[in-house]
Amino acid sequence: MNNEFLKIISIFIKSDLTQNMIDENLRDLGLDSLATIELLLEIEEYYDISFPDEYLSEKTFSTANQLWKVVIQLVNMENSLV
């Protein structure tokens, strides 16, 4: 997981997310419904990906680690289409 990804999430939880916090629940860290949507849009723009409907779930946005796994999967899918 790269530092830029952690910085992006930190904007929406309003605190610095560190590597040792990647498995903590993002809701417990302050990510609410509106911030989740804003985070989704920021990640899509930054990584030039689109989240399919099946990834728009509470599980996807449960932890930074889980979200990172989905982002990497989507980036790899996007790259394979090019």
Side-chain angles (χ1 to χ4, degrees):
M1 180 175 313
N2 66 31
N3 286 332
E4 192 59 38
F5 183 74
L6 295 176
K7 287 179 189 176
I8 291 170
I9 294 176
S10 293
I11 294 167
F12 298 98
I13 63 169
K14 298 175 180 56
S15 66
D16 289 336
L17 185 66
T18 61
Q19 286 287 342
N20 64 344
M21 299 168 65
I22 63 172
D23 289 316
E24 290 188 34
N25 188 294
L26 291 175
R27 289 214 178 272
D28 293 344
L29 296 174
L31 190 70
D32 61 22
S33 298
L34 181 57
T36 300
I37 294 168
E38 292 171 343
L39 174 59
L40 165 73
L41 296 173
E42 185 69 26
I43 290 172
E44 285 184 329
E45 183 176 330
Y46 186 85
Y47 290 97
D48 196 24
I49 57 174
S50 293
F51 279 73
D53 289 346
E54 61 266 21
Y55 289 99
L56 301 178
S57 68
E58 193 171 322
K59 180 182 178 191
T60 296
F61 292 87
S62 60
T63 67
N65 195 25
Q66 179 62 35
L67 183 54
W68 179 247
K69 289 176 185 176
V70 170
V71 168
I72 291 302
Q73 183 178 7
L74 293 174
V75 167
N76 289 336
M77 286 172 41
E78 197 66 35
N79 288 338
S80 70
L81 296 175
V82 177

